Amino acid sequence: MLVCIALSSCSSPAQSNDAASEDLEAQVLQIIRDNPEVILESVQAYQQQQQETAQEARRAVVAEMASDPASVIGDSPVKGAESREIVMVEFSDFQCPFCAKAHDTVKAFMEENGDRVTLVYKHLPLVSIHPQALPAAQAAWAAQQQGQFWAYYDALFENQDRLGDDLYVEIATDLGLDLEQFDRDRNSDESLQAVQADLELADELGLNGTPAFFINGEGLSGAVELAEFEAVLERVTAAR
């Protein structure tokens, strides 16, 4: 009798906990089925919080661009005014047709305003749609290591329909680069890290398309007309 009672009343703590967990899970699932709007509201609240966090981060970066434009340059290639008081940051993709179109406009803008504007290039290769965007960015970075970024940049956009390994070597040869160093640099981890740093800045700014431009924090996107660049420059100059 005592043995029977003992056996019937004993169960391990693990078994009890498992049963309790299963009961709790069943109750939670039932609550979700009965109140699906609770989950929707929770997801929406989370998404809103994420958006607000991203917007806050973007505002902080844009504010820094406006107050201290030179702070965003880092190790990126630059040309134009040495003062770095008015900085135009270009986020671009060497395989993007809109970037190629904008390249001509940027070139004209800098020819006219290079004495007061510093141009900074940031890589934003859209690898999901442009398979040559990253290799081209790495090749341009390798040219930068030998002081020839801007000539290489021009050549890539001018020959956008030929992007590929043959073109990268051809441009490097035409520019008189050390080809052994060029190949080593463009295939290096350092080239990927440099591009990744630019991608992280683009992400902080909420960019998902190219080209994109910031002149002392004021943003422009797409194949911008020369007049738009000029108008922003005048506003930025007046605000200083």
Side-chain angles (χ1 to χ4, degrees), residues 69-195:
S71 66
V72 300
I73 293 175
D75 295 325
S76 296
V78 299
K79 73 174 182 177
E82 294 183 3
S83 62
R84 301 186 177 188
E85 294 177 356
I86 299 177
V87 174
M88 181 165 108
V89 183
E90 173 185 359
F91 288 87
S92 195
D93 171 329
F94 287 114
Q95 199 173 359
C96 166
F98 300 104
C99 294
K101 182 178 179 182
H103 166 257
D104 294 334
T105 308
V106 170
K107 195 169 184 178
F109 177 73
M110 289 303 297
E111 286 174 356
E112 184 69 26
N113 301 287
D115 59 333
R116 55 180 178 148
V117 176
T118 304
L119 176 62
V120 182
Y121 186 88
K122 299 286 186 180
H123 299 282
L124 182 48
L126 305 178
V127 295
S128 63
I129 57 175
H130 295 149
Q132 284 299 322
L134 180 57
Q138 291 177 273
W141 182 87
Q144 180 189 350
Q145 306 318 297
Q146 298 188 50
Q148 291 286 356
F149 174 83
W150 293 106
Y152 205 94
Y153 155 98
D154 286 338
L156 285 175
F157 278 127
E158 289 163 4
N159 295 277
Q160 191 179 69
D161 60 336
R162 296 176 54 215
L163 291 181
D165 199 65
D166 289 346
L167 177 65
Y168 306 146
V169 175
E170 177 186 315
I171 297 172
T173 302
D174 290 345
L175 294 176
L177 302 185
D178 179 325
L179 294 182
E180 184 177 338
Q181 179 186 342
F182 173 75
D183 281 335
R184 184 171 61 249
D185 286 340
R186 70 186 174 118
N187 293 306
S188 67
D189 290 341
E190 287 80 6
S191 69
L192 291 173
Q193 290 165 4
V195 173

